[in-house]
Amino acid sequence: MKPLLHATLPIPPSVNSRTKITRHGGYEDPKVTMYKWQCKECWREAWRDKEAITQAIMAQSWLYVSLHIWLPASKMEIRDVDNMLQVPINALKEEIGIDDARIADLYPRKRVAPLGVHPALLISVMEMSVEELEQDIFPGKTA
Protein backbone atom coordinates (compact mmCIF):
# COMPACT_ATOMS: atom_id res chain seq x y z
CA MET A 1 0.00 0.00 0.00
CA LYS A 2 1.17 3.48 -0.81
CA PRO A 3 0.69 6.14 1.93
CA LEU A 4 -1.14 9.25 0.72
CA LEU A 5 -2.13 11.20 3.82
CA HIS A 6 -1.73 11.14 7.57
CA ALA A 7 -3.40 13.67 9.86
CA THR A 8 -4.21 14.21 13.52
CA LEU A 9 -7.65 15.73 13.96
CA PRO A 10 -9.57 16.87 17.01
CA ILE A 11 -12.40 14.69 18.32
CA PRO A 12 -15.66 15.54 16.50
CA PRO A 13 -18.62 17.11 18.28
CA SER A 14 -21.47 14.89 19.43
CA VAL A 15 -23.72 13.45 16.73
CA ASN A 16 -26.61 15.22 18.48
CA SER A 17 -25.22 18.56 17.32
CA ARG A 18 -24.85 17.66 13.62
CA THR A 19 -28.02 19.02 12.00
CA LYS A 20 -30.53 21.31 13.62
CA ILE A 21 -34.09 21.04 12.35
CA THR A 22 -36.50 23.94 12.35
CA ARG A 23 -39.89 24.40 10.74
CA HIS A 24 -38.04 26.11 7.85
CA GLY A 25 -35.71 23.16 7.23
CA GLY A 26 -32.39 21.97 8.57
CA TYR A 27 -29.05 23.66 9.06
CA GLU A 28 -25.62 22.59 10.22
CA ASP A 29 -24.84 23.32 13.85
CA PRO A 30 -22.07 25.96 14.22
CA LYS A 31 -19.97 23.44 16.24
CA VAL A 32 -20.02 21.07 13.27
CA THR A 33 -19.20 23.88 10.81
CA MET A 34 -16.19 24.84 12.96
CA TYR A 35 -15.09 21.20 13.27
CA LYS A 36 -15.34 20.67 9.51
CA TRP A 37 -13.19 23.79 9.01
CA GLN A 38 -10.60 22.37 11.47
CA CYS A 39 -10.59 19.05 9.57
CA LYS A 40 -10.06 20.83 6.25
CA GLU A 41 -7.14 22.77 7.75
CA CYS A 42 -5.57 19.51 8.98
CA TRP A 43 -6.09 17.87 5.56
CA ARG A 44 -4.51 20.89 3.84
CA GLU A 45 -1.44 20.66 6.09
CA ALA A 46 -1.19 16.88 5.56
CA TRP A 47 -1.52 17.18 1.78
CA ARG A 48 2.19 17.31 0.97
CA ASP A 49 2.50 14.89 -1.94
CA LYS A 50 -0.08 16.47 -4.22
CA GLU A 51 1.15 14.51 -7.25
CA ALA A 52 0.60 11.08 -5.63
CA ILE A 53 -2.88 12.05 -4.42
CA THR A 54 -3.81 13.55 -7.79
CA GLN A 55 -2.66 10.37 -9.54
CA ALA A 56 -4.69 8.22 -7.11
CA ILE A 57 -7.78 10.36 -7.73
CA MET A 58 -7.32 10.30 -11.52
CA ALA A 59 -6.72 6.54 -11.53
CA GLN A 60 -9.78 6.03 -9.31
CA SER A 61 -7.65 3.93 -6.99
CA TRP A 62 -9.13 2.04 -4.09
CA LEU A 63 -8.29 3.42 -0.66
CA TYR A 64 -7.47 1.96 2.74
CA VAL A 65 -8.36 4.25 5.64
CA SER A 66 -7.16 3.59 9.17
CA LEU A 67 -8.56 5.62 12.09
CA HIS A 68 -7.30 5.58 15.66
CA ILE A 69 -9.65 7.37 18.02
CA TRP A 70 -8.17 8.28 21.40
CA LEU A 71 -10.93 9.23 23.86
CA PRO A 72 -11.05 10.05 27.55
CA ALA A 73 -12.31 7.06 29.57
CA SER A 74 -15.49 8.99 30.43
CA LYS A 75 -16.46 9.18 26.72
CA MET A 76 -15.68 5.59 25.65
CA GLU A 77 -19.20 4.22 26.12
CA ILE A 78 -21.16 7.20 24.84
CA ARG A 79 -19.36 7.90 21.55
CA ASP A 80 -20.16 5.73 18.51
CA VAL A 81 -17.27 5.15 16.12
CA ASP A 82 -19.37 5.37 12.96
CA ASN A 83 -20.78 8.76 13.97
CA MET A 84 -17.28 10.15 14.58
CA LEU A 85 -16.08 9.22 11.08
CA GLN A 86 -18.62 11.00 8.91
CA VAL A 87 -17.51 14.64 9.19
CA PRO A 88 -13.73 14.04 8.80
CA ILE A 89 -14.29 11.82 5.76
CA ASN A 90 -16.71 14.33 4.21
CA ALA A 91 -14.14 17.08 4.82
CA LEU A 92 -11.54 14.94 3.04
CA LYS A 93 -13.79 14.81 -0.02
CA GLU A 94 -14.62 18.52 0.07
CA GLU A 95 -11.05 19.72 0.62
CA ILE A 96 -8.93 17.29 -1.41
CA GLY A 97 -11.41 15.60 -3.72
CA ILE A 98 -10.92 12.02 -2.52
CA ASP A 99 -14.30 10.33 -2.98
CA ASP A 100 -15.35 8.27 0.02
CA ALA A 101 -16.98 5.81 -2.40
CA ARG A 102 -13.40 4.75 -3.28
CA ILE A 103 -12.74 3.55 0.29
CA ALA A 104 -12.43 -0.22 0.06
CA ASP A 105 -11.10 -0.87 3.57
CA LEU A 106 -12.00 1.19 6.62
CA TYR A 107 -10.44 0.23 9.94
CA PRO A 108 -11.59 2.32 12.91
CA ARG A 109 -10.12 1.68 16.36
CA LYS A 110 -11.44 3.35 19.52
CA ARG A 111 -9.17 3.38 22.56
CA VAL A 112 -8.86 5.12 25.91
CA ALA A 113 -6.31 7.91 25.66
CA PRO A 114 -3.36 7.12 27.96
CA LEU A 115 -2.55 9.66 30.66
CA GLY A 116 -0.83 12.63 29.09
CA VAL A 117 -2.20 11.91 25.59
CA HIS A 118 -4.64 14.49 24.29
CA PRO A 119 -7.86 12.97 22.85
CA ALA A 120 -7.57 12.95 19.07
CA LEU A 121 -8.49 11.21 15.83
CA LEU A 122 -5.49 9.91 13.86
CA ILE A 123 -6.30 9.14 10.23
CA SER A 124 -4.12 7.48 7.59
CA VAL A 125 -5.19 7.19 3.96
CA MET A 126 -3.35 4.75 1.69
CA GLU A 127 -3.74 3.75 -1.93
CA MET A 128 -4.46 0.06 -2.56
CA SER A 129 -3.48 -1.66 -5.76
CA VAL A 130 -5.99 -3.90 -7.53
CA GLU A 131 -3.72 -6.83 -6.64
CA GLU A 132 -3.89 -5.98 -2.91
CA LEU A 133 -7.65 -5.67 -3.10
CA GLU A 134 -8.01 -9.00 -4.95
CA GLN A 135 -5.60 -10.71 -2.56
CA ASP A 136 -7.78 -9.57 0.31
CA ILE A 137 -10.93 -10.85 -1.41
CA PHE A 138 -9.43 -14.07 -2.78
CA PRO A 139 -6.75 -15.20 -0.27
CA GLY A 140 -4.14 -17.45 -1.79
CA LYS A 141 -4.71 -16.19 -5.34
CA THR A 142 -1.47 -15.79 -7.23
CA ALA A 143 -0.89 -13.53 -10.21
Side-chain angles (χ1 to χ4, degrees), residues 43-139:
W43 286 129
R44 240 179 266 129
E45 289 174 19
W47 192 14
R48 290 189 175 85
D49 191 354
K50 291 180 177 16
E51 186 176 328
I53 294 169
T54 302
Q55 287 176 354
I57 292 169
M58 297 301 289
Q60 294 188 338
S61 298
W62 293 104
L63 303 173
Y64 167 94
V65 179
S66 173
L67 300 108
H68 294 266
I69 304 161
W70 295 100
L71 293 173
S74 61
K75 302 277 186 185
M76 280 297 284
E77 294 202 23
I78 58 173
R79 299 299 307 267
D80 291 337
V81 172
D82 56 333
N83 292 329
M84 289 192 285
L85 307 180
Q86 185 177 6
V87 175
I89 289 177
N90 288 347
L92 179 64
K93 181 176 182 177
E94 290 173 19
E95 187 60 35
I96 297 180
I98 293 178
D99 190 352
D100 58 342
R102 301 303 304 169
I103 297 174
D105 284 343
L106 179 64
Y107 289 101
R109 293 166 190 88
K110 182 172 81 168
R111 303 285 187 266
V112 173
L115 289 175
V117 174
H118 189 69
L121 188 80
L122 293 102
I123 302 181
S124 296
V125 180
M126 292 175 254
E127 180 180 12
M128 291 179 71
S129 67
V130 173
E131 293 79 22
E132 288 169 318
L133 186 62
E134 287 177 351
Q135 187 66 34
D136 199 33
I137 296 169
F138 307 108

Side-chain angles (χ1 to χ4, degrees), residues 17-18 20 27-35:
S17 62
R18 290 272 168 80
K20 301 294 182 185
Y27 67 94
E28 195 171 73
D29 184 284
K31 288 185 224 170
V32 174
T33 303
M34 181 61 149
Y35 180 71

